[in-house]
mmCIF file of all heavy atoms in Angstrom:
data_model
loop_
_atom_site.group_PDB
_atom_site.id
_atom_site.type_symbol
_atom_site.label_atom_id
_atom_site.label_comp_id
_atom_site.label_asym_id
_atom_site.label_seq_id
_atom_site.Cartn_x
_atom_site.Cartn_y
_atom_site.Cartn_z
ATOM 1 N N PRO I 229 -76.173 1.420 -36.471
ATOM 2 C CA PRO I 229 -75.255 0.654 -37.317
ATOM 3 C C PRO I 229 -75.294 1.136 -38.746
ATOM 4 O O PRO I 229 -76.315 1.631 -39.212
ATOM 5 C CB PRO I 229 -75.774 -0.778 -37.199
ATOM 6 C CG PRO I 229 -76.633 -0.787 -35.996
ATOM 7 C CD PRO I 229 -77.185 0.570 -35.835
ATOM 8 N N LYS I 230 -74.181 1.011 -39.428
ATOM 9 C CA LYS I 230 -74.075 1.474 -40.800
ATOM 10 C C LYS I 230 -74.492 0.393 -41.789
ATOM 11 O O LYS I 230 -74.530 0.641 -42.979
ATOM 12 C CB LYS I 230 -72.656 1.938 -41.100
ATOM 13 C CG LYS I 230 -72.257 3.145 -40.264
ATOM 14 C CD LYS I 230 -70.927 3.670 -40.677
ATOM 15 C CE LYS I 230 -70.487 4.823 -39.796
ATOM 16 N NZ LYS I 230 -71.401 5.955 -39.828
ATOM 17 N N HIS I 231 -74.802 -0.835 -41.307
ATOM 18 C CA HIS I 231 -75.269 -1.923 -42.186
ATOM 19 C C HIS I 231 -76.765 -2.071 -42.057
ATOM 20 O O HIS I 231 -77.321 -1.903 -40.970
ATOM 21 C CB HIS I 231 -74.608 -3.254 -41.805
ATOM 22 C CG HIS I 231 -73.124 -3.246 -42.024
ATOM 23 N ND1 HIS I 231 -72.560 -3.311 -43.271
ATOM 24 C CD2 HIS I 231 -72.097 -3.190 -41.134
ATOM 25 C CE1 HIS I 231 -71.257 -3.293 -43.155
ATOM 26 N NE2 HIS I 231 -70.950 -3.221 -41.853
ATOM 27 N N GLU I 232 -77.426 -2.395 -43.153
ATOM 28 C CA GLU I 232 -78.846 -2.714 -43.114
ATOM 29 C C GLU I 232 -79.016 -4.126 -42.552
ATOM 30 O O GLU I 232 -78.131 -4.971 -42.722
ATOM 31 C CB GLU I 232 -79.439 -2.652 -44.528
ATOM 32 C CG GLU I 232 -79.465 -1.260 -45.111
ATOM 33 C CD GLU I 232 -80.379 -0.337 -44.347
ATOM 34 O OE1 GLU I 232 -81.358 -0.810 -43.753
ATOM 35 O OE2 GLU I 232 -80.094 0.879 -44.310
ATOM 36 N N PRO I 233 -80.166 -4.411 -41.881
ATOM 37 C CA PRO I 233 -80.407 -5.782 -41.391
ATOM 38 C C PRO I 233 -80.298 -6.774 -42.527
ATOM 39 O O PRO I 233 -80.798 -6.544 -43.616
ATOM 40 C CB PRO I 233 -81.816 -5.715 -40.835
ATOM 41 C CG PRO I 233 -82.018 -4.272 -40.492
ATOM 42 C CD PRO I 233 -81.250 -3.505 -41.506
ATOM 43 N N GLY I 234 -79.607 -7.862 -42.258
ATOM 44 C CA GLY I 234 -79.434 -8.900 -43.258
ATOM 45 C C GLY I 234 -78.138 -8.809 -44.005
ATOM 46 O O GLY I 234 -77.789 -9.729 -44.716
ATOM 47 N N GLU I 235 -77.442 -7.677 -43.866
ATOM 48 C CA GLU I 235 -76.156 -7.581 -44.532
ATOM 49 C C GLU I 235 -75.132 -8.408 -43.790
ATOM 50 O O GLU I 235 -75.338 -8.843 -42.653
ATOM 51 C CB GLU I 235 -75.697 -6.127 -44.603
ATOM 52 C CG GLU I 235 -76.499 -5.310 -45.597
ATOM 53 C CD GLU I 235 -75.979 -3.901 -45.706
ATOM 54 O OE1 GLU I 235 -75.138 -3.501 -44.879
ATOM 55 O OE2 GLU I 235 -76.399 -3.192 -46.625
ATOM 56 N N ALA I 236 -73.988 -8.590 -44.455
ATOM 57 C CA ALA I 236 -72.952 -9.434 -43.873
ATOM 58 C C ALA I 236 -72.561 -8.937 -42.512
ATOM 59 O O ALA I 236 -72.353 -7.743 -42.314
ATOM 60 C CB ALA I 236 -71.742 -9.460 -44.800
ATOM 61 N N GLY I 237 -72.517 -9.904 -41.548
ATOM 62 C CA GLY I 237 -72.073 -9.587 -40.210
ATOM 63 C C GLY I 237 -73.150 -9.008 -39.336
ATOM 64 O O GLY I 237 -72.904 -8.684 -38.182
ATOM 65 N N VAL I 238 -74.374 -8.865 -39.795
ATOM 66 C CA VAL I 238 -75.450 -8.283 -38.988
ATOM 67 C C VAL I 238 -76.603 -9.263 -38.965
ATOM 68 O O VAL I 238 -77.084 -9.688 -40.008
ATOM 69 C CB VAL I 238 -75.922 -6.935 -39.570
ATOM 70 C CG1 VAL I 238 -77.038 -6.367 -38.715
ATOM 71 C CG2 VAL I 238 -74.771 -5.968 -39.676
ATOM 72 N N ARG I 239 -77.060 -9.708 -37.791
ATOM 73 C CA ARG I 239 -78.188 -10.621 -37.650
ATOM 74 C C ARG I 239 -79.317 -9.900 -36.929
ATOM 75 O O ARG I 239 -79.088 -9.259 -35.931
ATOM 76 C CB ARG I 239 -77.788 -11.853 -36.827
ATOM 77 C CG ARG I 239 -76.732 -12.708 -37.517
ATOM 78 C CD ARG I 239 -76.348 -13.856 -36.606
ATOM 79 N NE ARG I 239 -75.343 -14.681 -37.234
ATOM 80 C CZ ARG I 239 -75.614 -15.720 -38.022
ATOM 81 N NH1 ARG I 239 -76.867 -16.034 -38.295
ATOM 82 N NH2 ARG I 239 -74.640 -16.437 -38.545
ATOM 83 N N PRO I 240 -80.538 -10.042 -37.459
ATOM 84 C CA PRO I 240 -81.659 -9.428 -36.748
ATOM 85 C C PRO I 240 -81.891 -10.132 -35.434
ATOM 86 O O PRO I 240 -81.823 -11.347 -35.350
ATOM 87 C CB PRO I 240 -82.840 -9.600 -37.704
ATOM 88 C CG PRO I 240 -82.451 -10.738 -38.584
ATOM 89 C CD PRO I 240 -80.979 -10.732 -38.691
ATOM 90 N N GLY I 241 -82.178 -9.435 -34.401
ATOM 91 C CA GLY I 241 -82.419 -10.014 -33.093
ATOM 92 C C GLY I 241 -83.851 -9.785 -32.664
ATOM 93 O O GLY I 241 -84.646 -9.232 -33.418
ATOM 94 N N PRO I 242 -84.215 -10.212 -31.455
ATOM 95 C CA PRO I 242 -85.580 -10.006 -30.963
ATOM 96 C C PRO I 242 -85.856 -8.532 -30.795
ATOM 97 O O PRO I 242 -84.960 -7.742 -30.566
ATOM 98 C CB PRO I 242 -85.576 -10.748 -29.629
ATOM 99 C CG PRO I 242 -84.145 -10.789 -29.220
ATOM 100 C CD PRO I 242 -83.361 -10.885 -30.480
#
Side-chain angles (χ1 to χ4, degrees):
K230 296 186 183 300
H231 295 286
E232 293 295 331
E235 288 183 349
V238 180
R239 295 177 180 271

